[in-house]
């Protein structure tokens, strides 16, 4: 009797050990595939974000007003442009990623060119915001001196706007093919050049914000030209077949997906922008805005790894859905969320330990440093939540859920988070800490909803929708429908 009761137990134990071993093996393989894209994507994001961060750091050593002006221009005005351009460009993550997974490489270059057309026209419209920055900021209640200085700086930064229009489609085009290491090297070279030029123009030649604008524009233009040269030199022969008039076909459908992507990401990015604007309405706006922009700067630095994972999971999910491998897409989501949470928890621990020391990197003003130290707890909570949220946004982009997530963002950020921030910050007089607490409420709610949606997703159904999407977005009046051959085989 003993033998018969023990044997099944041992068998179950062996099965459990085998299942555990299989999971660890599959997780290790998935980690390597994710880091193959995420590693260079993290570096690319760090290097490209550092361009404006370096400029803001140099501006902080010019003066407090200059720091606030560059900070509010960078996070509000450039934030509007960056959010729209990156959002509209992220439509390529869905289309290029799923086309690549389905083996339709010839359409990637066409998609990128369509995105260039759309983003260039969008840039022309957004340039009006750059031109009228000063009156817009004053209308929103910002300090006149800060608004006027930010307005001048904003006009000088218009060339950067069109750099975004070319850069983001290139990024998504190369990411879909996992050609991210070249972008990382080019971004690194651009950053090194930018640091040197910023030191010369801002510190040595004492050109102030004019020097800051010259160096930042030049660095972005140099980066964009380098990436274009990389593509045109033949590094993506199957995906890039030259400029084509097909870039001007099927634009209406492409615009719809681009706008949905932009709305989704802009509502997330502008949530932080609103916090900066509300900080400008508090007493001592120079201190509040300066502290808030430094914290946002630190958060953006800390978010480089999740943003890299966002790119990686978008590529993995879109590629796997395009290839019809639903289970692999789901497994990839689980692994990337686990990695992001672990890494961000370590970063938060470091921030809490150094909360009285790290503000000196950005400013010499003691009052601003003290305010930043007080805000570190709120900053840490945001980073922990954001270890999951951007990754799930990447899943949404890879799967093509942009419209759904846009509605979620409206509810969480602007119906729940923003009113809560206003009440806590102004009605109950908790100041910047209250404003940030309200924003955290919106982020927490959004993260929870995205977790539930991702967990309950029917990935087999998403794989079928991916094939249908290729039929819709890949067709035009002059070319065969993308995926028609695949559809016939079905």
């Amino acid at each position: 009797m003993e033998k018969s009761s023990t044997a099944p137990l041992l068998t179950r134990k062996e099965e459990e050990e085998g299942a555990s071993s299989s999971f660890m093996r599959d997780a290790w393989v998935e980690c390597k595939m994710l880091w193959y894209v995420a590693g260079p994507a993290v570096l690319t994001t760090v290097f490209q974000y550092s361009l404006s961060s370096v400029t803001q750091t140099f501006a902080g050593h010019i003066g407090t007003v200059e720091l606030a002006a560059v900070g509010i221009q960078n996070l509000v005005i450039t934030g509007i442009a960056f959010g729209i351009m990156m959002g509209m460009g992220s439509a390529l993550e869905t289309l290029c990623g799923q086309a690549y997974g389905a083996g339709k490489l010839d359409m990637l270059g066409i998609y990128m060119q369509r995105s260039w057309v759309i983003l260039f026209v969008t840039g022309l419209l957004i340039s009006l915001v750059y031109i009228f920055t000063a009156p817009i900021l004053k209308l929103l209640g910002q300090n006149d001196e800060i608004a006027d200085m930010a307005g001048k700086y904003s006009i000088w930064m218009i060339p950067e706007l069109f750099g975004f229009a070319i850069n983001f489609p290139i990024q998504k085009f190369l990411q879909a093919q996992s050609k991210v290491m070249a972008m990382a090297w080019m971004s690194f070279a651009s950053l090194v050049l930018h640091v040197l030029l910023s030191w010369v123009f801002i510190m040595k030649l004492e050109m102030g914000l004019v020097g800051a604008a010259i160096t930042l524009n030049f660095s972005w233009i140099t980066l964009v030209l380098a990436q274009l040269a990389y593509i045109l030199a033949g590094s993506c022969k199957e995906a890039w077949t030259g400029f084509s008039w097909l870039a001007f076909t099927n634009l209406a459908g492409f615009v719809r997906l681009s706008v949905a992507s932009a709305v989704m990401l802009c509502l997330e990015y502008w949530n932080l922008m609103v916090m900066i604007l509300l900080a400008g309405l508090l007493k001592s706006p120079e201190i509040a805005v300066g502290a808030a922009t430094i914290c946002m700067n630190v958060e953006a630095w800390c978010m480089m790894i999740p943003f890299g994972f966002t790119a990686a999971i978008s590529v993995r999910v879109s590629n796997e859905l395009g290839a019809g491998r639903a289970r692999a897409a789901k497994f990839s989501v689980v692994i990337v969320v686990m990695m992001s949470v672990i890494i961000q928890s370590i970063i938060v621990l470091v921030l809490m330990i150094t909360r009285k020391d790290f503000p000196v990197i950005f400013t010499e003003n003691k009052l601003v440093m003290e305010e930043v130290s007080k805000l570190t707890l709120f900053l840490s909570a945001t980073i922990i939540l954001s270890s999951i949220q951007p990754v799930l946004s990447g899943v949404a982009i890879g799967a093509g859920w942009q419209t759904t997530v846009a509605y979620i963002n409206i509810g969480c950020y602007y119906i729940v988070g923003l009113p809560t921030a206003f009440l806590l910050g102004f009605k109950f007089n908790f100041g910047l800490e209250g404003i940030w607490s309200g924003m955290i409420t919106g982020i927490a709610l959004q993260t929870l909803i995205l977790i539930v949606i991702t967990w309950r997703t029917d990935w087999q159904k998403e794989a079928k929708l991916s094939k249908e999407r290729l039929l819709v977005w890949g067709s035009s009046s002059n070319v065969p429908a993308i995926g028609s051959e695949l559809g016939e085989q079905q």
Side-chain angles (χ1 to χ4, degrees), residues 144-163:
D144 284 355
E145 187 179 6
I146 295 175
D148 287 333
M149 190 170 290
K152 290 179 182 178
Y153 182 70
S154 190
I155 292 173
W156 298 334
M157 291 309 302
I158 288 177
E160 180 193 51
L161 171 62
F162 293 96

Side-chain angles (χ1 to χ4, degrees), residues 229-245:
Y230 175 75
I231 294 172
L232 298 178
S235 61
C236 310
K237 291 181 180 178
E238 292 183 81
W240 175 261
T241 56
F243 293 98
S244 171
W245 287 108

Side-chain angles (χ1 to χ4, degrees), residues 8 113 150 153 188 320 338 384 421:
Q113 291 174 66
Y153 182 70
F188 174 71
E320 296 297 352
M338 289 171 58
I384 288 293

Side-chain angles (χ1 to χ4, degrees), residues 84 87-92 94-95 114-115 117-119 122 249-265 400-404 406-407 468-469 471-476:
I84 292 174
M88 296 189 78
S90 72
L92 290 185
T94 305
L95 298 175
R114 286 178 186 169
S115 191
V117 172
I118 294 169
L119 264 64
T122 304
T249 62
N250 202 19
L251 285 177
F254 207 94
V255 167
R256 285 195 295 273
L257 184 60
S258 296
V259 169
S261 301
V263 170
M264 185 193 101
L265 290 180
W401 304 338
Q402 287 93 328
T403 303
T404 300
Y407 285 120
E468 294 174 9
R469 189 175 292 113
L471 282 166
V472 174
W473 303 120
S475 62
S476 74

Side-chain angles (χ1 to χ4, degrees), residues 9-273:
L9 184 63
L10 290 173
T11 302
R12 283 196 299 272
K13 186 177 179 182
E14 289 171 358
E15 286 177 356
E16 288 172 3
E17 289 176 351
S20 176
S21 175
S22 176
F23 174 82
M24 293 302 295
R25 186 171 56 252
D26 292 344
W28 175 246
V29 171
E30 183 61 38
C31 281
K32 289 193 292 184
M33 295 176 70
L34 284 165
W35 274 108
Y36 182 79
V37 177
V42 168
L43 292 175
T44 299
T45 306
V46 167
F47 297 146
Q48 291 190 7
Y49 176 78
S50 297
L51 294 174
S52 59
S53 181
V54 165
T55 299
Q56 187 170 330
T57 300
F58 275 107
H61 293 281
I62 299 172
T64 305
V65 176
E66 285 81 0
L67 171 65
V70 171
I72 204 166
Q73 192 281 333
N74 186 38
L75 288 169
V76 178
I77 304 304
T78 299
I80 291 173
F82 189 92
I84 292 174
M85 293 295 195
M86 183 176 68
M88 296 189 78
S90 72
L92 290 185
E93 291 189 55
T94 305
L95 298 175
C96 285
Q98 294 185 1
Y100 183 82
K104 303 295 181 180
L105 299 183
D106 57 315
M107 285 305 296
L108 269 64
I110 302 298
Y111 288 152
M112 180 171 64
Q113 291 174 66
R114 286 178 186 169
S115 191
W116 279 340
V117 172
I118 294 169
L119 264 64
F120 187 85
V121 173
T122 304
L124 291 174
L125 298 175
I126 297 175
S127 63
L128 295 174
V129 177
Y130 276 60
I131 293 169
F132 296 105
T133 291
I136 289 172
L137 291 178
K138 289 176 182 177
L139 186 65
L140 293 172
Q142 300 303 299
N143 175 276
D144 284 355
E145 187 179 6
I146 295 175
D148 287 333
M149 190 170 290
K152 290 179 182 178
Y153 182 70
S154 190
I155 292 173
W156 298 334
M157 291 309 302
I158 288 177
E160 180 193 51
L161 171 62
F162 293 96
F164 292 159
I166 302 173
N167 178 67
F168 290 125
I170 291 176
Q171 275 194 336
K172 309 312 176 187
F173 170 81
L174 292 174
Q175 279 178 10
Q177 304 167 73
S178 298
K179 294 181 181 292
V180 282
M181 185 55 75
M183 281 196 298
W185 280 112
M186 286 182 278
S187 300
F188 174 71
S190 180
L191 175 60
V192 171
L193 177 65
H194 181 61
V195 172
L196 292 173
L197 291 177
S198 295
W199 179 75
V200 171
F201 279 77
I202 299 173
M203 305 303 291
K204 299 301 290 183
L205 299 180
E206 297 183 351
M207 293 180 64
L209 295 190
V210 176
I214 291 173
T215 55
L216 189 52
N217 282 321
F218 181 78
S219 298
W220 270 107
I221 292 170
T222 302
L223 174 60
V224 167
L225 291 176
Q227 291 178 146
L228 274 173
Y230 175 75
I231 294 172
L232 298 178
S235 61
C236 310
K237 291 181 180 178
E238 292 183 81
W240 175 261
T241 56
F243 293 98
S244 171
W245 287 108
L246 292 178
F248 296 94
T249 62
N250 202 19
L251 285 177
F254 207 94
V255 167
R256 285 195 295 273
L257 184 60
S258 296
V259 169
S261 301
V263 170
M264 185 193 101
L265 290 180
C266 284
L267 290 173
E268 294 177 10
Y269 192 84
W270 291 349
N271 184 50
L272 302 177
M273 179 191 76

Side-chain angles (χ1 to χ4, degrees), residues 231-423:
I231 294 172
L232 298 178
S235 61
C236 310
K237 291 181 180 178
E238 292 183 81
W240 175 261
T241 56
F243 293 98
S244 171
W245 287 108
L246 292 178
F248 296 94
T249 62
N250 202 19
L251 285 177
F254 207 94
V255 167
R256 285 195 295 273
L257 184 60
S258 296
V259 169
S261 301
V263 170
M264 185 193 101
L265 290 180
C266 284
L267 290 173
E268 294 177 10
Y269 192 84
W270 291 349
N271 184 50
L272 302 177
M273 179 191 76
V274 169
M275 191 174 80
I276 300 297
L277 291 174
L278 290 179
L281 302 178
L282 295 170
K283 295 177 181 178
S284 303
E286 291 180 18
I287 303 300
V289 172
T293 55
I294 287 172
C295 287
M296 291 298 97
N297 204 342
V298 171
E299 183 189 359
W301 274 93
C302 295
M303 293 310 298
M304 296 298 106
I305 291 176
F307 284 154
F309 283 145
T310 299
I313 194 62
S314 175
V315 171
R316 292 287 299 122
V317 167
S318 60
N319 284 179
E320 296 297 352
L321 291 179
R325 294 189 288 266
R327 186 177 179 183
K330 181 179 181 180
F331 185 72
S332 185
V333 173
V334 173
I335 298 302
V336 79
V337 169
M338 289 171 58
M339 286 195 297
S340 184
V341 170
I342 291 170
I343 293 171
Q344 293 302 93
S345 298
I346 295 171
I347 291 174
V348 162
L349 181 61
V350 173
L351 273 179
M352 291 301 296
I353 293 172
T354 63
R355 63 185 179 277
K356 293 184 179 179
D357 302 312
F358 75 79
V360 74
I361 298 172
F362 301 94
T363 182
E364 298 169 1
N365 187 297
K366 297 294 184 183
L367 293 175
V368 175
M369 290 172 63
E370 288 176 10
E371 186 65 23
V372 172
S373 296
K374 292 178 185 176
L375 291 171
T376 303
L377 181 62
F378 300 91
L379 173 62
S380 298
T382 305
I383 291 171
I384 288 293
L385 285 172
S386 298
S387 64
I388 302 173
Q389 182 269 332
V391 173
L392 297 184
S393 292
V395 175
I397 292 169
W401 304 338
Q402 287 93 328
T403 303
T404 300
V405 178
Y407 285 120
I408 293 171
N409 290 350
I410 291 173
C412 294
Y413 289 145
Y414 299 95
I415 296 178
V416 175
L418 182 57
T420 304
F422 190 85
L423 285 173

